[in-house]
Amino acid sequence: AEYELENLTEELVEKYNEVNLIYEISEALGAVLNPKTVCEIILKKAVGVIGVEKASIMLYDDKSKHLHIIAAYGIDLSEEDLRRINVVPGEGVSGKVFATGEHVIVEDSENTMFPELSHIDRGDKKKSFSSMPMRYKRKSFLSVPMIFSPMNLEKRVMGVINMTDKKTSDMFTSGDLRLLSSIA
């Protein structure tokens, strides 16, 4: 009975945090119209609640037909280098999440790099980041599609939220997925 009560208490606190986060995001975005600012606010709030060291939001650009990082947290690249990163839909984890509209939780990455950051477009040259310290500290990461659905008509994937290096454990939970999916 004590174990059950403890689990119910944890679940109740988790639900409270989810509702509170959604409320805080809604309140913070009330007067903001700039997509970059919106994504930065969302990412900052989500990082704080889920507790990760690295995260990004990538949005799809209809002109270039690629995903681009619009907001980042804990990624040691300059703003200029972040702007140059592009991911083709269907390629890498973010590209696959975008193309399928389905989340991905990788439980054991074996210290692999972010697929999105393996190359950066510099016009006709590509700069490899394989020698840069971009490796996961933990073995799991979470990638969730950002879905736009006005009045529940046609759902459209507009981007992806990525998180890794969770501070409290090696694995993301179903609660983390549920919360990030709600935000997305």
Side-chain angles (χ1 to χ4, degrees), residues 3-179:
Y3 176 74
E4 217 172 287
L5 182 60
E6 187 177 314
N7 281 341
L8 287 172
T9 303
E10 284 180 25
E11 190 173 323
L12 183 60
V13 168
E14 190 175 293
K15 293 289 183 198
Y16 171 79
N17 286 338
E18 287 179 26
V19 170
N20 195 40
L21 177 63
I22 299 297
Y23 174 77
E24 285 178 11
I25 289 172
S26 297
E27 191 175 77
L29 298 179
V32 178
L33 299 175
N34 180 317
K36 181 171 178 49
T37 305
V38 168
C39 289
E40 288 170 349
I41 290 169
I42 289 170
L43 195 62
K44 182 180 178 183
K45 298 280 187 187
V47 162
V49 171
I50 295 176
V52 296
E53 293 182 24
K54 293 180 184 165
S56 68
I57 293 181
M58 303 183 87
L59 293 182
Y60 182 72
D61 179 29
D62 287 323
K63 291 179 186 174
S64 69
K65 305 290 188 215
H66 287 84
L67 289 162
H68 299 277
I69 294 177
I70 192 163
Y73 177 85
I75 298 176
D76 295 327
L77 293 176
S78 69
E79 284 288 322
E80 184 179 327
D81 284 342
L82 286 172
R83 278 193 302 272
R84 289 184 177 136
I85 293 171
N86 59 55
V87 174
V88 176
E91 292 184 10
V93 174
S94 294
K96 288 177 183 164
V97 168
F98 176 80
T100 64
E102 299 289 327
H103 71 270
V104 169
I105 296 180
V106 174
E107 294 180 354
D108 189 3
S109 65
E110 285 300 321
N111 207 27
T112 58
M113 292 175 54
F114 278 98
E116 296 84 348
L117 302 179
S118 61
H119 291 88
I120 190 168
D121 188 1
R122 294 195 182 274
D124 58 337
K125 292 193 247 175
K126 297 229 182 233
K127 178 180 177 185
S128 174
F129 281 91
S130 59
S131 62
M132 295 182 74
M134 303 283 289
R135 298 189 179 275
Y136 295 118
K137 289 182 181 177
R138 306 283 192 268
K139 291 185 176 184
S140 67
F141 65 89
L142 175 60
S143 187
V144 176
M146 295 179 69
I147 298 178
F148 175 69
S149 179
M151 306 290 255
N152 290 328
L153 297 174
E154 184 181 336
K155 291 183 179 180
R156 191 186 96 173
V157 179
M158 57 188 283
V160 178
I161 301 177
N162 300 303
M163 293 193 158
T164 189
D165 292 350
K166 189 170 178 185
K167 295 176 184 177
T168 58
S169 73
D170 282 340
M171 302 299 205
F172 286 96
T173 66
S174 59
D176 296 332
L177 172 61
R178 190 172 50 248
L179 179 58

